[in-house]
Amino acid sequence: IAYGMDIGSDKVVLVYDLGGGTFDITLIAITAQSIQVIVTGGDHELGGKDWDDALIGYLADYFKSENGTEEDILSDAETLGELQLNAEKAKKTLTQRDKTTIPINFGGEKVKAELSKEKIEELTAPLLERTIALTHALLKEAAAKGYNHFDEFILVGGSSRMPQVKVRIDQEFSTDAKIYDPDESVAKGAAIFGWKTSINDELVKRIAESTGQSVETIALDTLPEETLSQYERQVADEVGLTLGAVQKSRTEILNVTSKSFGVVALDGNKDKRLFNLILKNETVPREYTQQFGTDEINQDSAHIEIMENESSDRITDPEFGLEIGTAVLHLPLGLPEGSPIQVTFQINEEGRLIVTALEVTNHRGVETTIETTSVISGEALVQAKERSKGIVIV
């Protein structure tokens, strides 16, 4: 958004975001009227910290070889903390210089390791190649959606400053990648999106007050251009913006899902399968309904196990998914085997997933809402499961 709002021409941009803890790769189509995410991917467990860890492992081995010891120096908290700081510092230093020296202190012994730019590139080459492979995978998905090229390759995220990143990308993709505000572009994009939303809300509010309509019924894109321009001029005058700036706030921003979402159910062979109702890289908001059936005669309840996963297949193995919520649909007595149950997934622009299950025969239903995230694990997973307990019987 930060880059696209002022680009001034229609372009397809590939955004390579290598941060401290995550790697994201996204293809975006930019026009004067819209900024549209085509596909997004990456690895939420890969980032600059992995470069640090590779360097720390090398330094630990170097100390052991120099001192002839088999002790695990990384088990010492003080040594590990010092190496973490020095490794990150050395990584940054080697973006400007060819060599640097790193002190290693453990058990009263001190060793100095000389590290070259070539050595760190050798140690971390597999990590960089992982980002290249993920970029190729994303471009393959983009091609399936009819996008076979990009006009610009943009590097963001602090770790994209490492010289090896641009060199390898330019070599692999025959491009001249440019670094775009690596530290602040995400924050700026969020700020611009907030500004856009506030201007749009003000327009809707003003139109509602003038026409007596409710704000929920007003859609800016359905209003005559002359009418909309009149209200835009009023808002521009009131908030001290140019008319062009207010009109720019109407740029449509379209996102896609970064994961697939589905439920676990039995297939025709009574094997558990993960049925994806919303697929990765589908445009949001999105709604999809699929009909399942009860497994037994007189079944008293249906357990709805909601999963997120990286697969783009409609049906996959549950072991590839991560449970993010559950709900229980209580069934009436006397239902035959195979009685229909409709499951509907709705996901909005904010990533809120609403799951509804309806027993068709007697129209008994259950609904739960889940706040999806790019990564759900640990405490966040516990919280997601806790949220899913707040189900409402319809």
Side-chain angles (χ1 to χ4, degrees), residues 91-106:
K91 182 181 67 176
K92 293 178 179 179
T93 299
L94 290 173
T95 64
Q96 304 292 332
R97 296 167 51 185
D98 293 330
K99 291 183 180 180
T100 190
T101 301
I102 303 175
I104 312 169
N105 299 296
F106 175 73

Side-chain angles (χ1 to χ4, degrees), residues 14-273:
L14 188 58
V15 182
Y16 175 107
D17 182 358
L18 184 60
T22 62
F23 169 66
D24 298 286
I25 183 76
T26 306
L27 190 72
I28 303 175
I30 300 170
T31 69
Q33 293 77 36
S34 68
I35 300 173
Q36 180 180 5
V37 175
I38 306 304
V39 286
T40 188
D43 185 342
H44 299 301
E45 302 294 331
L46 176 65
K49 185 180 179 300
D50 294 286
W51 268 254
D52 296 344
D53 289 344
L55 182 50
I56 289 168
Y58 168 77
L59 294 172
D61 290 340
Y62 183 86
F63 182 93
K64 287 193 284 188
S65 66
E66 288 293 301
N67 277 49
T69 179
E70 289 301 319
E71 287 189 76
D72 179 12
I73 72 170
L74 300 182
S75 63
D76 181 77
E78 186 175 346
T79 299
L80 176 59
E82 185 179 38
L83 281 177
Q84 287 173 331
L85 291 173
N86 288 337
E88 184 177 7
K89 182 179 178 181
K91 182 181 67 176
K92 293 178 179 179
T93 299
L94 290 173
T95 64
Q96 304 292 332
R97 296 167 51 185
D98 293 330
K99 291 183 180 180
T100 190
T101 301
I102 303 175
I104 312 169
N105 299 296
F106 175 73
E109 299 290 331
K110 185 173 183 178
V111 169
K112 287 187 177 181
E114 187 176 88
L115 188 70
S116 67
K117 183 182 293 186
E118 290 75 15
K119 186 62 180 178
I120 193 172
E121 290 178 358
E122 174 192 329
L123 292 170
T124 60
L127 301 172
L128 184 54
E129 291 308 308
R130 170 75 174 147
T131 72
I132 297 296
L134 289 167
T135 302
H136 277 298
L138 176 122
L139 291 173
K140 185 176 180 181
E141 287 191 59
K145 297 179 78 169
Y147 286 82
N148 296 296
H149 83 287
F150 56 84
D151 300 304
E152 292 188 349
F153 201 123
I154 305 299
L155 304 176
V156 299
S159 296
S160 66
R161 283 195 179 94
M162 294 183 291
Q164 67 185 120
V165 174
K166 175 174 166 52
V167 169
R168 183 69 184 92
I169 284 172
D170 288 350
Q171 175 192 53
E172 182 70 20
F173 298 101
S174 301
T175 187
D176 183 15
K178 67 167 137 178
I179 296 179
Y180 176 74
D181 202 355
D183 296 317
E184 298 179 353
S185 57
V186 172
K188 288 178 179 178
I192 292 170
F193 185 79
W195 163 80
K196 166 187 159 52
T197 302
S198 68
I199 294 296
N200 284 347
D201 287 348
E202 185 61 33
L203 280 170
V204 170
K205 179 182 174 182
R206 187 172 291 274
I207 294 168
E209 290 173 348
S210 298
T211 62
Q213 301 178 65
S214 66
V215 295
E216 292 80 9
T217 62
I218 296 172
L220 295 179
D221 57 355
T222 64
L223 294 175
E225 192 64 32
E226 183 177 339
T227 301
L228 190 53
S229 294
Q230 172 188 341
Y231 289 108
E232 286 174 336
R233 279 191 290 270
Q234 293 177 16
V235 171
D237 291 340
E238 183 174 311
V239 300
L241 293 173
T242 66
L243 177 60
V246 173
Q247 291 174 334
K248 193 69 176 176
S249 73
R250 283 200 283 135
T251 300
E252 188 176 22
I253 296 175
L254 302 171
N255 207 347
V256 298
T257 56
S258 60
K259 304 275 187 176
S260 292
F261 300 95
V263 295
V264 176
L266 301 180
D267 64 11
N269 298 319
K270 301 291 185 179
D271 294 324
K272 278 190 174 184
R273 304 288 281 164

Side-chain angles (χ1 to χ4, degrees), residues 261-265 272-275 277 302-308 318 321-328 343 345 355 368 370 385:
F261 300 95
V263 295
V264 176
K272 278 190 174 184
R273 304 288 281 164
L274 172 51
F275 291 80
L277 277 69
H303 180 79
I304 313 298
E305 187 177 1
I306 304 156
M307 308 279 280
E308 71 170 17
L322 176 69
E323 182 185 306
I324 58 172
T326 60
V328 177
V343 178
F345 275 28
V355 179
T368 185
I370 297 169
K385 289 184 177 181

